[in-house]
Structure formats: structure tokens, C-alpha cells
Amino acid sequence: MTTPTVPVVAHTRDELKAAREALPSRDVAVVMTMGALHDGHARLIRAARQRHDHVVVTIFLNPLQFGPKEDLSRYPRTFDADMEICTDAGVDVVFAPTPDVVYPDGDPGVRVSAGPLGDLLEGKARPGHFDGVLTVVGKLLHLTAARSAYFGQKDAQQMLLIRRMVRDLDFPVDVVSVPTVREADGLAMSSRNTYLTASDREVALCLSRALRAGGEAAVFGPSAVRRAAREVLVEEPLALVDYLVLVHPETLADVPEWYRGEALLAVAAKIGTTRLIDNTPLVVGPGGGAIDVFTDVPHARADV
Ligand code: AMP
């Protein structure tokens, strides 16, 4: 058995450029992360690895996407463990810059605007969040010069907005979505799960249970989906639900009762001190159901 090669670590723009130029092929995919890597990130890396000659992983805790009262300072930092995951998954280059490398002039005066879709759902709870996300994603796409970028369905609104940015602003990159990786009991993997106490973690299971209940009701139409999911959540008063929505996957508008086809059932809740999000794509109507909850099967719109 051959030991996997440790990725080259680049902290500066010059180091990244040198590492990229040393790669034998230009067929490079990027996986962007904030570190504290888990099996969800590893799945993205492996998916990228299968289809491309090289994979660059970025590890950057982007201050621009955190609000003043959010968890930037307590966000887990686990660089050594992250490197092990990157090594095992076959990453070529890890780009781990500090904020002054990414934003050498301080907070950028010019940013990418996420537009109206960025004000809904997560954007309502986290004003400016998606402008910060898109700004850094745009910069990291330029800096890594990747041909493809892999993102998780776990952050469905982020995925949608990145796809829109790439299309609306003509970024020369393919965006690939990867289904959500879950713990055996259904909890969606997240770096923020480390904040959960043992009892919070039990409470948090109501999110994936609600999505599964919604998926099972999908054949009966939108109100049945919403009702089934809500019934699970009301059983768990310690989950402070911010939203539970069944929306069109492209517009994020609530789907009307007559709607049949692909939709997104998404939930956000505060559990203890931790805000968690989860979602499942589903098909509403005859033959419908959840598309990826508790399975590893790529859903219809995913490229993986
Ligand atoms: P983060 O480090 O949380 O910003 O996530 C980096 C990337 O990993 C994003 O594209 C996320 O959507 C993706 N991701 C996070 N959690 C999961 C998961 N449980 N399954 C699949 N992808 C994930």
C-alpha cells in the first residue's frame, strides 16, 4: 500500500501560484471550506478527485460572511486534523490564507451583491451573509484558477446563489453540487455540531426527522409536506425554529398548493446556543418523495 502524499500548503498568494503552476495538469477542481473538516467535506473532495487531475482545498474562515454577533471567534480551528483528511482524500494543494492575504486592503469596498435571493431565508437571519460568501467565492475562484468548484447541498441557498453568480457574471467555472452527508442517525454533518451538548444533539435530530416526514408526505402535495414536517418540530419545544419552508429550488418562493415537481424543504433552528440548518430536495406529487435524505444517491439536479 502506498502512503498518501501530504498536500502542499500555501499560505500566501505567491505560494498558491507556485503550487498551482507546479501541478502537471491545468485540470484543477476547488473545494472551499472554513476548516474543521468532516466527512461531508471529504465527500466533496473525493467527488472532485474522481473527476479532475488535481484538487485544491481552501481553508479560510471568511470574516466577511459573519455578522458582529455571530460565532467567528469560537468557530472550531483544527488545522492538523484537516490536513489528515486532505491527505487521505488525495488533495494536491491546501490554500490556508489569513484574512490579510485575502483582503490586503482591509474589508473590500466593492463586493458581489447576492441580490434579492440573498435576502431570503438565511439572508433574512444573517444580513449581508451572502454578499460576504459570494465575494470570497469569487476571489477564491480567481486565485485558484479552478475549472470546477464543488459545493454541498447542505447549504442549498449558498449553492443556488453561487450558481447564479457564475451564470450572471460569466465566471468560467463549472459548479457541482454534492448531496448532504449525514451521521448514521440522520443529523447533517456540520462543523458547528461540535458546539452541541449531548442533549442538544438529541434535540437536533428533530430537523432531519422533520425533513424525512415531509419527504414521506410529498406525494400528497405541499400542505401535507409542510404539515408533516411541522408536526415533528412542534414535538420538540427546545428547537427554536427560525423557518420551515417548502420552496421552489430556483426562486426560493413558497410553492403553491397546486405545485407538482421539484421543491426544497428547508429548516433552520436554534438549539441551545447553536443555529443549525438542514434541507432536502424533494419531488412533490405522484411518485414523489425526498431525493437525498438518508441516502448517498445523487439527486436529479446534482452532477455527482
Ligand atoms: P463549510 O466549511 O461549512 O463552509 O463548508 C464547506 C463546503 O462543504 C460547503 O460547500 C458546504 O455546503 C459543504 N458541506 C458542509 N457540510 C456538508 C455535509 N454534511 N455534506 C456535504 N457537504 C457539506
Side-chain angles (χ1 to χ4, degrees), residues 152-157 180 182 188 207 211 264-267 277-281 292-293:
Q153 169 68 28
K154 162 77 169 38
D155 299 281
Q157 187 175 10
T180 301
R182 296 173 181 281
L207 302 184
L211 297 179
L264 183 75
L265 181 60
V267 63
I277 58 171
D278 199 355
N279 73 82
T280 184
D292 77 350
V293 173

Side-chain angles (χ1 to χ4, degrees), residues 13 27 56 61 67 76 93 96 103 123 127 131 135 137 139-140 156 186 188 191 193 197 211 236 259-260:
R13 290 166 179 247
D27 180 22
V56 176
L61 214 35
V93 179
Y103 304 114
D131 291 4
T135 301
V137 168
K139 286 170 74 81
L140 292 174
S191 308
N193 290 351
T197 63
L211 297 179
E236 194 43 91
Y259 182 81
R260 298 293 178 268

Side-chain angles (χ1 to χ4, degrees), residues 101-173:
V101 169
V102 177
Y103 304 114
D105 303 315
D107 280 2
V110 174
R111 303 178 187 201
V112 178
S113 163
L117 283 177
D119 294 333
L120 305 173
L121 304 180
E122 283 307 286
K124 202 184 270 177
R126 308 181 68 186
H129 170 67
F130 287 116
D131 291 4
V133 169
L134 294 185
T135 301
V136 83
V137 168
K139 286 170 74 81
L140 292 174
L141 287 174
H142 291 314
L143 292 171
T144 59
R147 278 190 193 167
S148 292
Y150 284 64
F151 296 94
Q153 169 68 28
K154 162 77 169 38
D155 299 281
Q157 187 175 10
Q158 168 177 288
M159 161 74 64
L160 171 65
L161 283 164
I162 291 168
R163 283 193 187 282
R164 288 300 302 255
M165 175 177 79
V166 162
R167 198 163 72 222
D168 292 352
L169 303 183
D170 297 304
F171 278 69
V173 66

Side-chain angles (χ1 to χ4, degrees), residues 32-35 38 40-41 44 75 150-155 158 178-182 188-191:
M32 298 181 191
T33 80
M34 298 199 299
H38 49 65
H41 300 110
L44 264 62
Y75 200 88
Y150 284 64
F151 296 94
Q153 169 68 28
K154 162 77 169 38
D155 299 281
Q158 168 177 288
V178 179
T180 301
V181 177
R182 296 173 181 281
M189 289 192 182
S190 164
S191 308

